[in-house]
Amino acid sequence: MADTGIGLDVRSELLYRTMLQRATWRTRELAQTLAWPTDQVVRVLDTLRAEGLASVSGEDGTASRAVEPCIALPTLLASRMREGRSPQPCPVRIGRFIALHEQAERFGDSGESGENRHDASVIIERLVAKVQREVVLLVPHHDEGGFEFSRPVVDMVLRRGAKVRAVWASSVIKAPGAMAHAQWLSQEGVALRSVSTLPPRAMIMDGAVAVVVDETEGIRVVRSAAELERLSALAERFWERGATVRQTGRQPVAPTRRPRSEVVLRLLSEGLTDDAIARRLGCSVRTVRNDVASAMEALDARSRFQAGARAMQVGLI
């Protein structure tokens, strides 16, 4: 089926665009809205989930939600660039898709139902796309579709060269699927510790902004310097007290290094020369030049400067 330019076929993009209109969807609702057979919706939805564009809703485990374009589409582009798979997304179209979606949200276009999409996951995904240094997660319980267990979110942070640390309550480790996620985090080089109890559910980004989710107060975006300092200090105390999570019954897995091409793009965007990048990475200048040439082709860039700028513009790095 024809590619639409953002790396999806026509049906997948139509389903994704539809899902962006509301916070959560059940399969039958999507089938009714699109006038598709239910089994077709299931197939296309499975494709979107596999590509990181849809997930189980953290608010309702029986429903699905769309991952925000600012996270999902750069992740899709990065994946296709790493694997050399087709169709190759067009960075310009990805940038336009993200911009138009966020513009529509700013003007209050939340879909026919008028339902507010700004749940915790949406807020997190938009904020995390701007992280520069570190993300700290405090996870008191397991939600399969919660932002704490989102691989696209972690992948975005790591692509930007930032670090991720997570503190889980010990009960989280016993939840179905949690240990598989812990194993994946370990492979990605994410530090994970556990403590017996963990009152706050929060994500702290660069020590400059945090999202706190409370059962009584709901979702709060914290920007107050005083409150951020208290929350960051609390997170550090939990981290110091925490025990390293061991993957029971599994062999220890060495962290997977980020693809060299991603690191080259990030250093390129910082203005480093090929020689400087080669010295930084401990590889040959020829290898760096090959990576730059491949990135320029994938990003449809006419110069190395444009490749770095475009990678930043679309959220690739």
Side-chain angles (χ1 to χ4, degrees):
M1 189 174 293
D3 168 40
T4 61
I6 63 170
L8 300 174
D9 60 56
V10 174
R11 285 199 181 112
S12 295
E13 180 171 337
L14 178 56
L15 181 58
Y16 182 57
R17 285 182 180 273
T18 300
M19 293 181 72
L20 284 170
Q21 294 174 11
R22 271 177 34 188
T24 59
W25 292 84
R26 288 181 171 78
T27 304
R28 58 178 175 77
E29 294 172 333
L30 288 167
Q32 290 168 358
T33 299
L34 294 169
W36 289 2
T38 300
D39 60 343
Q40 182 177 326
V41 171
V42 171
R43 285 197 304 272
V44 179
L45 186 55
D46 285 346
T47 298
L48 291 181
R49 285 175 174 162
E51 298 280 20
L53 280 86
S55 72
V56 174
S57 169
E59 310 295 322
D60 180 354
T62 65
S64 300
R65 63 174 294 269
V67 177
E68 280 292 285
C70 62
I71 292 289
L73 295 182
T75 299
L76 180 66
L77 174 60
S79 173
R80 295 286 171 84
M81 287 177 65
R82 286 195 295 262
E83 299 170 7
R85 282 199 296 139
S86 295
Q88 194 75 226
C90 171
V92 174
R93 293 197 183 182
I94 285 177
R96 187 179 301 132
F97 189 108
I98 293 170
L100 289 174
H101 170 69
E102 294 184 353
Q103 182 180 35
E105 288 279 337
R106 282 196 298 272
F107 283 98
D109 180 8
S110 55
E112 294 179 2
S113 68
E115 184 179 351
N116 186 355
R117 292 195 67 250
H118 293 172
D119 60 11
S121 293
V122 170
I123 295 170
I124 286 289
E125 286 162 4
R126 292 191 178 182
L127 289 173
V128 85
K130 301 174 183 178
V131 163
Q132 297 293 328
R133 299 186 305 277
E134 184 183 54
V135 164
V136 180
L137 287 158
L138 300 178
V139 189
H141 53 80
H142 180 264
D143 284 324
E144 183 182 349
F147 58 82
E148 303 95 331
F149 301 93
S150 169
R151 293 190 179 189
V153 163
V154 171
D155 191 63
M156 166 64 83
V157 175
L158 297 179
R159 280 205 317 275
R160 294 180 64 84
K163 296 180 180 179
V164 180
R165 288 186 293 154
V167 183
W168 288 5
S170 55
S171 59
V172 174
I173 302 170
K174 302 172 185 177
M179 189 51 72
H181 187 69
Q183 183 78 2
W184 180 80
L185 290 176
S186 176
Q187 290 174 341
E188 296 299 315
V190 174
L192 175 60
R193 296 184 180 181
S194 69
V195 293
S196 57
T197 59
L198 193 67
R201 179 188 179 195
M203 185 170 184
I204 308 166
M205 290 156 275
D206 290 337
V209 62
V211 174
V212 178
V213 184
D214 186 270
E215 292 183 2
T216 56
E217 297 183 18
I219 305 162
R220 291 191 302 117
V221 177
V222 178
R223 298 185 188 273
S224 159
E227 188 171 0
L228 279 168
E229 186 176 352
R230 288 194 297 271
L231 185 59
S232 296
L234 181 64
E236 288 303 318
R237 285 199 296 273
F238 280 125
W239 178 259
E240 292 300 326
R241 285 165 38 196
T244 301
V245 173
R246 307 291 182 188
Q247 283 74 50
T248 55
R250 298 173 183 261
Q251 293 296 319
V253 178
T256 302
R257 294 183 63 183
R258 301 302 297 175
R260 189 185 61 245
S261 57
E262 288 181 10
V263 182
V264 167
L265 262 178
R266 193 163 63 246
L267 297 176
L268 196 64
S269 71
E270 296 174 5
L272 271 68
T273 64
D274 292 344
D275 287 347
I277 294 173
R279 287 195 299 272
R280 180 80 65 89
L281 299 181
C283 62
S284 69
V285 175
R286 183 176 181 178
T287 296
V288 171
R289 287 175 179 163
N290 287 338
D291 285 341
V292 171
S294 297
M296 286 174 58
E297 181 180 359
L299 293 168
D300 193 22
R302 296 181 180 180
S303 68
R304 51 188 286 120
F305 174 80
Q306 187 180 36
R310 184 161 286 172
M312 290 187 67
Q313 182 182 12
V314 300
L316 187 60
I317 56 174

